[in-house]
Amino acid sequence: MSDHPFDKWVTTYAKAQAAGQDQAWPSEVLVRLFKGNYVPGMAATNLSGKRVLDVGFGNGNNGVFFAHLGMQVAGTEVDEALCKSATQRLEQLGLTGDFRVGTNRNLPFDNDSFDFLVSWNVLHYEDCEEHIQAAIAEYARVLRPGGRIFISTTGPEHKILADAQSLGCHRYRIGRPDDFRQGQTFFYFDNPYYIHYYFDPHFRDVQVGRINDHLFSDRLDWFLITGVKP
């Protein structure tokens, strides 16, 4: 295995699975967005048969949720072992998923393939403006006209930015000594203006939400983004 930052994720997921600590449930926020009345037009959407791409699906916990909604599930991760593990997880539940090796900027699917694209806490791993722009363009490429993105990405008050070094232009080098991502450079949107700056050229009706949780000892902060491909 190479000394690539992605390898840390592969190792982390493997350790969590071996210890029985991998994520068992889908993101609560995603459940609310797909099942609730928070996004105009979503409540009336028949999700059965719709195609959804889960970029950076992790261990497949959100894919199980999508499959139970009757959606056709696809996803990308950075290593074949993660794809096999997620496939097996769904198969054990009598479900199916098309999981392939890919990244934000290299999604191994045809143009106009999906009704929904979910990128949950994945986009900020791009390390510069050029890569962010390329990733957003790639998201738009694989969506069908009228398809919708749902994105969660770290906000400026998130605990991961404690002790981070600002490199300018939304770039931060992670400094937390207790985090396996220490030393990696991440890209964070400082406020909603910049989200519109990067997303509006590719999507219409872009909306920005936010989840900010103060859980006693830590603060968790995420921007939520949705929009529709023209």
Side-chain angles (χ1 to χ4, degrees), residues 137-173:
E138 182 73 343
Y139 287 2
R141 180 188 69 79
V142 299
L143 272 176
R144 294 169 177 165
R148 180 178 292 276
I149 52 169
F150 279 113
I151 294 173
S152 172
T153 188
T154 304
E157 296 182 12
H158 198 285
K159 68 176 185 177
I160 189 64
L161 287 178
D163 300 320
Q165 176 188 2
S166 175
L167 303 177
C169 193
H170 313 286
R171 299 166 66 243
Y172 296 85
R173 180 175 291 121

mmCIF file of all heavy atoms in Angstrom, residues 137-173:
data_model
loop_
_atom_site.group_PDB
_atom_site.id
_atom_site.type_symbol
_atom_site.label_atom_id
_atom_site.label_comp_id
_atom_site.label_asym_id
_atom_site.label_seq_id
_atom_site.Cartn_x
_atom_site.Cartn_y
_atom_site.Cartn_z
ATOM 1 N N ALA A 137 -17.532 20.602 -10.678
ATOM 2 C CA ALA A 137 -17.864 20.380 -12.086
ATOM 3 C C ALA A 137 -18.110 18.898 -12.353
ATOM 4 O O ALA A 137 -19.002 18.535 -13.137
ATOM 5 C CB ALA A 137 -16.739 20.907 -12.979
ATOM 6 N N GLU A 138 -17.338 18.029 -11.707
ATOM 7 C CA GLU A 138 -17.518 16.593 -11.876
ATOM 8 C C GLU A 138 -18.853 16.139 -11.267
ATOM 9 O O GLU A 138 -19.539 15.284 -11.844
ATOM 10 C CB GLU A 138 -16.343 15.851 -11.237
ATOM 11 C CG GLU A 138 -16.378 14.341 -11.387
ATOM 12 C CD GLU A 138 -16.060 13.836 -12.791
ATOM 13 O OE1 GLU A 138 -16.128 14.642 -13.743
ATOM 14 O OE2 GLU A 138 -15.753 12.647 -12.939
ATOM 15 N N TYR A 139 -19.223 16.713 -10.140
ATOM 16 C CA TYR A 139 -20.533 16.408 -9.550
ATOM 17 C C TYR A 139 -21.642 16.743 -10.555
ATOM 18 O O TYR A 139 -22.578 15.964 -10.758
ATOM 19 C CB TYR A 139 -20.754 17.230 -8.278
ATOM 20 C CG TYR A 139 -19.957 16.808 -7.065
ATOM 21 C CD1 TYR A 139 -19.040 15.757 -7.102
ATOM 22 C CD2 TYR A 139 -20.107 17.487 -5.859
ATOM 23 C CE1 TYR A 139 -18.321 15.394 -5.979
ATOM 24 C CE2 TYR A 139 -19.395 17.119 -4.728
ATOM 25 C CZ TYR A 139 -18.505 16.078 -4.793
ATOM 26 O OH TYR A 139 -17.797 15.718 -3.672
ATOM 27 N N ALA A 140 -21.538 17.916 -11.159
ATOM 28 C CA ALA A 140 -22.561 18.335 -12.116
ATOM 29 C C ALA A 140 -22.571 17.431 -13.349
ATOM 30 O O ALA A 140 -23.642 17.125 -13.902
ATOM 31 C CB ALA A 140 -22.325 19.790 -12.524
ATOM 32 N N ARG A 141 -21.424 16.993 -13.774
ATOM 33 C CA ARG A 141 -21.331 16.161 -14.990
ATOM 34 C C ARG A 141 -22.154 14.891 -14.881
ATOM 35 O O ARG A 141 -22.855 14.512 -15.829
ATOM 36 C CB ARG A 141 -19.864 15.803 -15.264
ATOM 37 C CG ARG A 141 -19.666 14.938 -16.513
ATOM 38 C CD ARG A 141 -18.246 14.445 -16.656
ATOM 39 N NE ARG A 141 -17.864 13.469 -15.639
ATOM 40 C CZ ARG A 141 -18.206 12.181 -15.671
ATOM 41 N NH1 ARG A 141 -18.968 11.701 -16.657
ATOM 42 N NH2 ARG A 141 -17.809 11.356 -14.718
ATOM 43 N N VAL A 142 -22.073 14.199 -13.748
ATOM 44 C CA VAL A 142 -22.732 12.897 -13.644
ATOM 45 C C VAL A 142 -24.205 13.005 -13.274
ATOM 46 O O VAL A 142 -24.929 12.004 -13.326
ATOM 47 C CB VAL A 142 -22.006 11.981 -12.637
ATOM 48 C CG1 VAL A 142 -20.571 11.723 -13.084
ATOM 49 C CG2 VAL A 142 -22.046 12.549 -11.226
ATOM 50 N N LEU A 143 -24.677 14.199 -12.917
ATOM 51 C CA LEU A 143 -26.095 14.380 -12.610
ATOM 52 C C LEU A 143 -26.900 14.606 -13.885
ATOM 53 O O LEU A 143 -26.432 15.252 -14.822
ATOM 54 C CB LEU A 143 -26.299 15.586 -11.693
ATOM 55 C CG LEU A 143 -26.218 15.362 -10.189
ATOM 56 C CD1 LEU A 143 -26.349 16.711 -9.476
ATOM 57 C CD2 LEU A 143 -27.304 14.404 -9.711
ATOM 58 N N ARG A 144 -28.103 14.086 -13.885
ATOM 59 C CA ARG A 144 -29.026 14.375 -14.976
ATOM 60 C C ARG A 144 -29.543 15.807 -14.844
ATOM 61 O O ARG A 144 -29.595 16.351 -13.740
ATOM 62 C CB ARG A 144 -30.206 13.403 -14.921
ATOM 63 C CG ARG A 144 -29.823 11.956 -15.184
ATOM 64 C CD ARG A 144 -30.956 11.015 -14.859
ATOM 65 N NE ARG A 144 -30.599 9.621 -15.189
ATOM 66 C CZ ARG A 144 -31.258 8.566 -14.753
ATOM 67 N NH1 ARG A 144 -32.308 8.700 -13.951
ATOM 68 N NH2 ARG A 144 -30.865 7.338 -15.120
ATOM 69 N N PRO A 145 -29.960 16.438 -15.948
ATOM 70 C CA PRO A 145 -30.630 17.731 -15.827
ATOM 71 C C PRO A 145 -31.824 17.608 -14.887
ATOM 72 O O PRO A 145 -32.632 16.695 -15.010
ATOM 73 C CB PRO A 145 -31.065 18.028 -17.268
ATOM 74 C CG PRO A 145 -30.054 17.304 -18.112
ATOM 75 C CD PRO A 145 -29.758 16.030 -17.362
ATOM 76 N N GLY A 146 -31.912 18.501 -13.925
ATOM 77 C CA GLY A 146 -32.943 18.409 -12.902
ATOM 78 C C GLY A 146 -32.519 17.609 -11.687
ATOM 79 O O GLY A 146 -33.244 17.550 -10.686
ATOM 80 N N GLY A 147 -31.334 16.975 -11.761
ATOM 81 C CA GLY A 147 -30.821 16.214 -10.630
ATOM 82 C C GLY A 147 -30.349 17.126 -9.512
ATOM 83 O O GLY A 147 -29.955 18.271 -9.737
ATOM 84 N N ARG A 148 -30.364 16.601 -8.304
ATOM 85 C CA ARG A 148 -30.085 17.419 -7.120
ATOM 86 C C ARG A 148 -28.865 16.917 -6.346
ATOM 87 O O ARG A 148 -28.676 15.712 -6.189
ATOM 88 C CB ARG A 148 -31.305 17.419 -6.192
ATOM 89 C CG ARG A 148 -31.125 18.248 -4.922
ATOM 90 C CD ARG A 148 -32.382 18.248 -4.066
ATOM 91 N NE ARG A 148 -33.469 18.964 -4.690
ATOM 92 C CZ ARG A 148 -33.652 20.283 -4.632
ATOM 93 N NH1 ARG A 148 -32.755 21.042 -3.972
ATOM 94 N NH2 ARG A 148 -34.683 20.855 -5.209
ATOM 95 N N ILE A 149 -28.054 17.866 -5.870
ATOM 96 C CA ILE A 149 -26.950 17.549 -4.978
ATOM 97 C C ILE A 149 -27.389 17.737 -3.525
ATOM 98 O O ILE A 149 -28.203 18.602 -3.207
ATOM 99 C CB ILE A 149 -25.713 18.439 -5.235
ATOM 100 C CG1 ILE A 149 -26.097 19.923 -5.219
ATOM 101 C CG2 ILE A 149 -24.996 18.046 -6.499
ATOM 102 C CD1 ILE A 149 -24.927 20.881 -5.197
ATOM 103 N N PHE A 150 -26.819 16.908 -2.659
ATOM 104 C CA PHE A 150 -26.879 17.123 -1.217
ATOM 105 C C PHE A 150 -25.457 16.986 -0.692
ATOM 106 O O PHE A 150 -24.844 15.923 -0.803
ATOM 107 C CB PHE A 150 -27.790 16.101 -0.532
ATOM 108 C CG PHE A 150 -29.249 16.419 -0.619
ATOM 109 C CD1 PHE A 150 -30.099 15.618 -1.350
ATOM 110 C CD2 PHE A 150 -29.768 17.538 0.028
ATOM 111 C CE1 PHE A 150 -31.445 15.903 -1.438
ATOM 112 C CE2 PHE A 150 -31.113 17.839 -0.056
ATOM 113 C CZ PHE A 150 -31.966 17.025 -0.786
ATOM 114 N N ILE A 151 -24.949 18.068 -0.128
ATOM 115 C CA ILE A 151 -23.552 18.098 0.306
ATOM 116 C C ILE A 151 -23.470 18.564 1.752
ATOM 117 O O ILE A 151 -24.149 19.513 2.157
ATOM 118 C CB ILE A 151 -22.722 19.031 -0.594
ATOM 119 C CG1 ILE A 151 -22.658 18.454 -2.024
ATOM 120 C CG2 ILE A 151 -21.315 19.245 -0.042
ATOM 121 C CD1 ILE A 151 -22.003 19.363 -3.020
ATOM 122 N N SER A 152 -22.651 17.879 2.527
ATOM 123 C CA SER A 152 -22.246 18.354 3.847
ATOM 124 C C SER A 152 -20.744 18.580 3.803
ATOM 125 O O SER A 152 -19.997 17.727 3.310
ATOM 126 C CB SER A 152 -22.596 17.316 4.924
ATOM 127 O OG SER A 152 -22.036 17.692 6.175
ATOM 128 N N THR A 153 -20.314 19.742 4.280
ATOM 129 C CA THR A 153 -18.884 20.028 4.300
ATOM 130 C C THR A 153 -18.560 20.863 5.528
ATOM 131 O O THR A 153 -19.393 21.647 5.993
ATOM 132 C CB THR A 153 -18.444 20.744 3.005
ATOM 133 O OG1 THR A 153 -17.024 20.850 2.975
ATOM 134 C CG2 THR A 153 -19.067 22.108 2.876
ATOM 135 N N THR A 154 -17.390 20.701 6.065
ATOM 136 C CA THR A 154 -17.046 21.265 7.359
ATOM 137 C C THR A 154 -17.099 22.785 7.375
ATOM 138 O O THR A 154 -16.617 23.446 6.454
ATOM 139 C CB THR A 154 -15.648 20.792 7.778
ATOM 140 O OG1 THR A 154 -15.636 19.369 7.776
ATOM 141 C CG2 THR A 154 -15.295 21.294 9.152
ATOM 142 N N GLY A 155 -17.700 23.318 8.440
ATOM 143 C CA GLY A 155 -17.786 24.754 8.635
ATOM 144 C C GLY A 155 -16.639 25.285 9.473
ATOM 145 O O GLY A 155 -15.859 24.526 10.060
ATOM 146 N N PRO A 156 -16.534 26.611 9.574
ATOM 147 C CA PRO A 156 -15.362 27.239 10.195
ATOM 148 C C PRO A 156 -15.263 27.062 11.705
ATOM 149 O O PRO A 156 -14.205 27.344 12.280
ATOM 150 C CB PRO A 156 -15.512 28.713 9.821
ATOM 151 C CG PRO A 156 -16.965 28.900 9.546
ATOM 152 C CD PRO A 156 -17.435 27.614 8.962
ATOM 153 N N GLU A 157 -16.325 26.602 12.368
ATOM 154 C CA GLU A 157 -16.268 26.425 13.824
ATOM 155 C C GLU A 157 -16.087 24.968 14.223
ATOM 156 O O GLU A 157 -16.168 24.628 15.399
ATOM 157 C CB GLU A 157 -17.538 26.989 14.471
ATOM 158 C CG GLU A 157 -17.700 28.489 14.289
ATOM 159 C CD GLU A 157 -18.933 29.038 14.960
ATOM 160 O OE1 GLU A 157 -19.556 28.301 15.767
ATOM 161 O OE2 GLU A 157 -19.298 30.191 14.693
ATOM 162 N N HIS A 158 -15.816 24.109 13.265
ATOM 163 C CA HIS A 158 -15.668 22.679 13.573
ATOM 164 C C HIS A 158 -14.384 22.416 14.362
ATOM 165 O O HIS A 158 -13.361 23.066 14.152
ATOM 166 C CB HIS A 158 -15.639 21.878 12.274
ATOM 167 C CG HIS A 158 -15.914 20.423 12.458
ATOM 168 N ND1 HIS A 158 -14.991 19.545 12.988
ATOM 169 C CD2 HIS A 158 -17.013 19.677 12.182
ATOM 170 C CE1 HIS A 158 -15.503 18.332 13.034
ATOM 171 N NE2 HIS A 158 -16.734 18.389 12.552
ATOM 172 N N LYS A 159 -14.453 21.417 15.240
ATOM 173 C CA LYS A 159 -13.312 21.105 16.109
ATOM 174 C C LYS A 159 -12.057 20.727 15.334
ATOM 175 O O LYS A 159 -10.942 20.889 15.836
ATOM 176 C CB LYS A 159 -13.677 19.968 17.061
ATOM 177 C CG LYS A 159 -13.894 18.615 16.373
ATOM 178 C CD LYS A 159 -14.152 17.510 17.381
ATOM 179 C CE LYS A 159 -14.257 16.145 16.708
ATOM 180 N NZ LYS A 159 -14.450 15.053 17.698
ATOM 181 N N ILE A 160 -12.214 20.231 14.105
ATOM 182 C CA ILE A 160 -11.051 19.793 13.343
ATOM 183 C C ILE A 160 -10.108 20.960 13.039
ATOM 184 O O ILE A 160 -8.916 20.767 12.803
ATOM 185 C CB ILE A 160 -11.493 19.103 12.020
ATOM 186 C CG1 ILE A 160 -10.304 18.439 11.322
ATOM 187 C CG2 ILE A 160 -12.153 20.099 11.091
ATOM 188 C CD1 ILE A 160 -9.667 17.321 12.088
ATOM 189 N N LEU A 161 -10.647 22.197 13.086
ATOM 190 C CA LEU A 161 -9.819 23.356 12.765
ATOM 191 C C LEU A 161 -9.040 23.880 13.972
ATOM 192 O O LEU A 161 -8.253 24.825 13.825
ATOM 193 C CB LEU A 161 -10.687 24.468 12.182
ATOM 194 C CG LEU A 161 -11.186 24.219 10.757
ATOM 195 C CD1 LEU A 161 -12.061 25.348 10.284
ATOM 196 C CD2 LEU A 161 -10.026 24.016 9.807
ATOM 197 N N ALA A 162 -9.248 23.287 15.148
ATOM 198 C CA ALA A 162 -8.439 23.689 16.304
ATOM 199 C C ALA A 162 -6.962 23.409 16.008
ATOM 200 O O ALA A 162 -6.607 22.309 15.574
ATOM 201 C CB ALA A 162 -8.892 22.930 17.544
ATOM 202 N N ASP A 163 -6.134 24.406 16.199
ATOM 203 C CA ASP A 163 -4.684 24.303 15.963
ATOM 204 C C ASP A 163 -4.333 24.173 14.482
ATOM 205 O O ASP A 163 -3.177 23.866 14.141
ATOM 206 C CB ASP A 163 -4.072 23.116 16.717
ATOM 207 C CG ASP A 163 -4.264 23.220 18.222
ATOM 208 O OD1 ASP A 163 -4.132 24.349 18.744
ATOM 209 O OD2 ASP A 163 -4.543 22.194 18.862
ATOM 210 N N ALA A 164 -5.307 24.410 13.582
ATOM 211 C CA ALA A 164 -4.999 24.344 12.152
ATOM 212 C C ALA A 164 -4.236 25.596 11.716
ATOM 213 O O ALA A 164 -4.420 26.685 12.260
ATOM 214 C CB ALA A 164 -6.279 24.204 11.338
ATOM 215 N N GLN A 165 -3.388 25.431 10.725
ATOM 216 C CA GLN A 165 -2.623 26.547 10.174
ATOM 217 C C GLN A 165 -3.292 27.048 8.909
ATOM 218 O O GLN A 165 -3.529 26.285 7.966
ATOM 219 C CB GLN A 165 -1.200 26.095 9.843
ATOM 220 C CG GLN A 165 -0.350 27.172 9.180
ATOM 221 C CD GLN A 165 0.990 26.640 8.692
ATOM 222 O OE1 GLN A 165 1.280 25.447 8.819
ATOM 223 N NE2 GLN A 165 1.808 27.520 8.136
ATOM 224 N N SER A 166 -3.646 28.330 8.885
ATOM 225 C CA SER A 166 -4.255 28.916 7.699
ATOM 226 C C SER A 166 -3.210 29.098 6.613
ATOM 227 O O SER A 166 -2.137 29.683 6.837
ATOM 228 C CB SER A 166 -4.889 30.262 8.033
ATOM 229 O OG SER A 166 -5.373 30.882 6.852
ATOM 230 N N LEU A 167 -3.509 28.586 5.412
ATOM 231 C CA LEU A 167 -2.610 28.698 4.272
ATOM 232 C C LEU A 167 -3.122 29.694 3.238
ATOM 233 O O LEU A 167 -2.539 29.842 2.172
ATOM 234 C CB LEU A 167 -2.429 27.320 3.611
ATOM 235 C CG LEU A 167 -1.913 26.208 4.522
ATOM 236 C CD1 LEU A 167 -1.862 24.880 3.757
ATOM 237 C CD2 LEU A 167 -0.553 26.550 5.098
ATOM 238 N N GLY A 168 -4.257 30.337 3.545
ATOM 239 C CA GLY A 168 -4.843 31.301 2.630
ATOM 240 C C GLY A 168 -5.793 30.646 1.646
ATOM 241 O O GLY A 168 -5.708 29.453 1.373
ATOM 242 N N CYS A 169 -6.715 31.447 1.098
ATOM 243 C CA CYS A 169 -7.681 30.998 0.087
ATOM 244 C C CYS A 169 -8.421 29.738 0.547
ATOM 245 O O CYS A 169 -8.483 28.735 -0.161
ATOM 246 C CB CYS A 169 -6.994 30.749 -1.250
ATOM 247 S SG CYS A 169 -8.166 30.563 -2.639
ATOM 248 N N HIS A 170 -8.967 29.786 1.775
ATOM 249 C CA HIS A 170 -9.814 28.716 2.320
ATOM 250 C C HIS A 170 -9.050 27.434 2.643
ATOM 251 O O HIS A 170 -9.661 26.409 2.904
ATOM 252 C CB HIS A 170 -10.965 28.378 1.356
ATOM 253 C CG HIS A 170 -11.698 29.557 0.832
ATOM 254 N ND1 HIS A 170 -12.581 30.283 1.587
ATOM 255 C CD2 HIS A 170 -11.664 30.160 -0.387
ATOM 256 C CE1 HIS A 170 -13.084 31.282 0.860
ATOM 257 N NE2 HIS A 170 -12.537 31.230 -0.336
ATOM 258 N N ARG A 171 -7.740 27.470 2.634
ATOM 259 C CA ARG A 171 -6.940 26.269 2.839
ATOM 260 C C ARG A 171 -6.358 26.251 4.254
ATOM 261 O O ARG A 171 -5.825 27.240 4.730
ATOM 262 C CB ARG A 171 -5.824 26.184 1.799
ATOM 263 C CG ARG A 171 -6.322 26.116 0.377
ATOM 264 C CD ARG A 171 -5.231 26.368 -0.638
ATOM 265 N NE ARG A 171 -4.225 25.315 -0.611
ATOM 266 C CZ ARG A 171 -2.953 25.519 -0.289
ATOM 267 N NH1 ARG A 171 -2.517 26.726 0.051
ATOM 268 N NH2 ARG A 171 -2.098 24.509 -0.304
ATOM 269 N N TYR A 172 -6.455 25.076 4.891
ATOM 270 C CA TYR A 172 -5.956 24.925 6.252
ATOM 271 C C TYR A 172 -5.196 23.605 6.371
ATOM 272 O O TYR A 172 -5.645 22.579 5.884
ATOM 273 C CB TYR A 172 -7.107 24.925 7.265
ATOM 274 C CG TYR A 172 -7.865 26.241 7.322
ATOM 275 C CD1 TYR A 172 -8.903 26.501 6.422
ATOM 276 C CD2 TYR A 172 -7.537 27.209 8.258
ATOM 277 C CE1 TYR A 172 -9.592 27.703 6.471
ATOM 278 C CE2 TYR A 172 -8.217 28.414 8.310
ATOM 279 C CZ TYR A 172 -9.244 28.659 7.417
ATOM 280 O OH TYR A 172 -9.915 29.847 7.457
ATOM 281 N N ARG A 173 -4.063 23.668 7.068
ATOM 282 C CA ARG A 173 -3.327 22.453 7.359
ATOM 283 C C ARG A 173 -3.726 21.974 8.756
ATOM 284 O O ARG A 173 -3.592 22.694 9.732
ATOM 285 C CB ARG A 173 -1.813 22.685 7.294
ATOM 286 C CG ARG A 173 -1.000 21.416 7.594
ATOM 287 C CD ARG A 173 0.498 21.637 7.406
ATOM 288 N NE ARG A 173 0.812 21.833 5.990
ATOM 289 C CZ ARG A 173 1.395 22.919 5.495
ATOM 290 N NH1 ARG A 173 1.719 23.914 6.300
ATOM 291 N NH2 ARG A 173 1.655 23.017 4.199
#
